[in-house]
Amino acid sequence: AQSVTQLGSHVSVSEGALVLLRCNYSSSVPPYLFWYVQYPNQGLQLLLKYTTGATLVKGINGFEAEFKKSETSFHLTKPSAHMSDAAEYFCAVSDRTGGGNKLTFGTGTQLKVEL
Amino acid sequence: DVKVTQSSRYLVKRTGEKVFLECVQDMDHENMFWYRQDPGLGLRLIYFSYDVKMKEKGDIPEGYSVSREKKERFSLILESASTNQTSMYLCASSFLAGQNQPQHFGDGTRLSIL
């Protein structure tokens, strides 16, 4: 069975600082990986996804993530945090062998951006 | 843009009531999903559907049922609501083809059972 671990339920950074949100996955086969963002009182919005090919994936709002098979990781980064980045972020994995495009989500990381 | 619409943003019901949560998508997606979101637990899959009149249990189906009579509409039913079903409920949809299809989410229904 696949699973996702997000280290740190709460992360706080200063405006302009590097954002690093960690995600490790467990899957018996190479997975598809996703990062979603949830702003207050809204649903989840897709930030980026890794399917095949280039391991560095660029997403919306200046975010990117790197797939590292050897480390089973898919950490999310942004060089310079903005106040508008404050939100909850979810990593998710889709098992290529499964049916119906089911996703398994991590428990989320709440990002706080301080002045 | 894909639009997934959930019928209510906030809902308050009483214990024992039958509760219907409705979700409609406008992108002709085959897959539809219902999740429950609780603090510290992330999103947990309740039920999903590949096609009209088709449904499969997710990770936490107990106390819930679903209905999909039309491709664009997926309903979640709490047969007899209980206080432990107080939560945020999220609906999502996606294309069937390929495991790399992202899911598109509605804005959620925050349900309180008193």
Side-chain angles (χ1 to χ4, degrees):
Chain A
Q2 57 196 5
S3 65
V4 175
T5 301
Q6 290 184 242
L7 291 175
S9 59
H10 292 81
V11 170
S12 184
V13 300
S14 299
E15 192 175 34
L18 171 72
V19 176
L20 170 60
L21 304 182
R22 299 178 186 275
C23 173
N24 289 89
Y25 68 89
S26 172
S27 177
S28 57
V29 297
Y32 295 116
L33 294 158
F34 304 81
W35 274 102
Y36 285 86
V37 60
Q38 185 180 34
Y39 298 104
N41 298 317
Q42 293 186 23
L44 275 68
Q45 178 183 355
L46 181 69
L47 269 179
L48 50 82
K49 67 176 182 179
Y50 169 76
T51 55
T52 57
T55 56
L56 182 63
V57 180
K58 293 188 184 299
I60 62 171
N61 302 337
F63 284 93
E64 61 183 34
E66 186 171 10
F67 172 64
K68 291 187 177 181
K69 184 178 178 181
S70 61
E71 299 177 8
T72 60
S73 70
F74 190 57
H75 301 332
L76 182 71
T77 60
K78 183 175 180 178
S80 178
H82 192 272
M83 296 296 289
S84 61
D85 295 325
E88 189 157 23
Y89 292 80
F90 292 92
C91 182
V93 60
S94 174
D95 186 345
R96 296 185 186 213
T97 63
N101 190 30
K102 287 190 292 181
L103 294 178
T104 299
F105 286 85
T107 53
T109 297
Q110 188 73 44
L111 176 66
K112 182 179 180 181
V113 181
E114 299 174 317
L115 287 171
Chain B
D1 269 359
V2 176
K3 186 70 173 177
V4 179
T5 302
Q6 295 185 229
S7 55
S8 303
R9 293 297 304 275
Y10 301 93
L11 208 53
V12 180
K13 296 292 182 180
R14 297 200 175 276
T15 304
E17 280 192 71
K18 189 170 187 176
V19 181
F20 293 85
L21 302 184
E22 307 286 345
C23 175
V24 176
Q25 51 94 4
D26 67 356
M27 280 301 291
D28 203 34
H29 285 162
E30 295 86 3
N31 293 334
M32 295 190 75
F33 307 83
W34 274 106
Y35 293 91
R36 170 175 173 160
Q37 182 181 11
D38 298 288
L41 298 179
L43 278 71
R44 294 179 290 168
L45 182 63
I46 305 172
Y47 268 97
F48 61 101
S49 169
Y50 298 140
D51 201 352
V52 174
K53 297 191 184 297
M54 179 278 168
K55 61 185 178 183
E56 286 201 17
K57 293 180 180 179
D59 300 318
I60 53 164
E62 296 78 18
Y64 303 94
S65 62
V66 290
S67 172
R68 194 167 181 198
E69 297 295 321
K70 293 184 178 182
K71 189 175 185 179
E72 68 271 18
R73 186 180 296 271
F74 192 36
S75 302
L76 179 70
I77 303 158
L78 286 65
E79 296 289 345
S80 179
S82 64
T83 55
N84 63 11
Q85 293 178 309
T86 291
S87 187
M88 169 72 94
Y89 290 87
L90 291 167
C91 175
S93 69
S94 74
F95 287 115
L96 177 63
Q99 302 301 319
N100 61 348
Q101 296 295 323
Q103 293 181 16
H104 300 267
F105 285 80
D107 284 337
T109 296
R110 191 168 293 280
L111 175 64
S112 296
I113 307 296
L114 304 179

